[in-house]
Each structure stands twice: as structure tokens, then as C-alpha cells.
Amino acid sequence: AFVPPPLSPRRSLLCSFVAMALEQPKRPAGGAYGSFLAEKRPEFTKQCAGQPISAVTKLAGVEWKKLTAAQKEPYEKKYQEAKVKFDKDMAAFLAGGGEKQKGAAALRTEKRKAKDGKPGKSARDPNAPKKPVGGAFGVFLSENREKI
């Protein structure tokens, strides 16, 4: 029987690159603002030292609003380039036999919607007879309405 030789370090490294190529690429998030925040986050975290993490995003939002359209343009270009790269990588991933999977947020939403459906409750039949309103007293009243 044929026994393959053990993989050399170079060969195992190549195999790991092939395995990485089979992973689904991540969509660039946040648009132009996301690329701005990714670039400036270290600067903002230094300014907000000792404050809650939400202070970083608040500061980033204020700074982003201060920027003019011309100052925002490089970040928009970065986002567009990242989006084009993602589209290419995703097409290569799908062409290579990859299967598109939902992201974490989509899975969370799906799970929440399934939970809201409440499996214990079935769909109500619109033709089913209605329950008497008011319980036993409602039944008594409907029977004796003319007498009272």
C-alpha cells in the first residue's frame, strides 16, 4: 500500500493558504464612515482614555460630521475599493465551490423572528366559534337580558 510522505513545512504552509482561500470573505462594514473610524480609532481611544468605549464612537461621530465632502472623499474611495475587492473575492469564493453563509447579524435576526412566532401557539381559525365575553356572568347576562 502507498503511504504518502509527511508534508514539508513549505507544503503545509501552502495548504493553509488554500484553506484560507476557501473561507468566505467578509463584507466591508460601515461605508465611508467605517473606513474613517477604522483609521482614526487609535487616535480617538487615546483621547477617550478612562471613559466608556461608547465615548470613542460618539467622538468619531462628532468628528465625522465636522468633515467636509472633500475631506470625506478619500474614505469613500477606500470603501469603494474595499467593496470592489470583496465582490471579486466573493465571486472567486463562489466559483471555487464555496457556499454563501449568512452573517452573525442575519442569523441573530432569524433566530429572534423564529422565537417571536412562539411554537406553542398555532394559527387561529377565523371560523371558530367565539368564546363568551365576561365568562359565566356574560353567559348569564346573554340568557337573561330580556328579563332584566
Side-chain angles (χ1 to χ4, degrees), residues 31-81:
Y33 173 73
S35 56
F36 166 77
L37 184 58
E39 187 177 297
K40 301 281 187 174
R41 186 180 296 274
E43 184 181 314
F44 293 146
T45 48
K46 284 179 186 173
Q47 289 180 9
C48 297
Q51 295 181 8
I53 295 173
S54 60
V56 174
T57 52
K58 286 178 185 175
L59 178 64
V62 169
E63 293 296 318
W64 177 253
K65 286 179 183 176
K66 287 181 187 176
L67 296 178
T68 64
Q71 291 172 321
K72 289 179 183 180
E73 193 174 320
Y75 300 109
E76 290 173 13
K77 281 184 182 175
K78 280 183 187 176
Y79 172 69
Q80 290 301 327
E81 289 168 6

Side-chain angles (χ1 to χ4, degrees), residues 23-143:
E23 288 182 16
Q24 181 173 338
K26 289 192 173 145
R27 180 183 301 273
Y33 173 73
S35 56
F36 166 77
L37 184 58
E39 187 177 297
K40 301 281 187 174
R41 186 180 296 274
E43 184 181 314
F44 293 146
T45 48
K46 284 179 186 173
Q47 289 180 9
C48 297
Q51 295 181 8
I53 295 173
S54 60
V56 174
T57 52
K58 286 178 185 175
L59 178 64
V62 169
E63 293 296 318
W64 177 253
K65 286 179 183 176
K66 287 181 187 176
L67 296 178
T68 64
Q71 291 172 321
K72 289 179 183 180
E73 193 174 320
Y75 300 109
E76 290 173 13
K77 281 184 182 175
K78 280 183 187 176
Y79 172 69
Q80 290 301 327
E81 289 168 6
K83 189 176 175 188
V84 168
K85 183 182 181 304
F86 166 76
D87 290 338
K88 273 189 208 172
D89 291 349
M90 184 57 100
F93 172 73
L94 294 174
E99 199 171 303
K100 191 172 181 182
Q101 297 174 342
K102 292 183 179 178
L107 290 173
R108 237 188 341 261
T109 304
E110 201 173 86
K111 186 176 179 183
R112 183 172 28 87
K113 285 185 179 179
K115 187 177 164 186
D116 286 347
K118 292 180 185 158
K121 272 192 170 181
S122 58
R124 182 161 243 192
D125 182 16
N127 299 325
K130 304 216 178 332
K131 290 182 181 177
V133 178
F137 181 70
V139 172
F140 167 79
L141 236 132
S142 65
E143 288 175 359

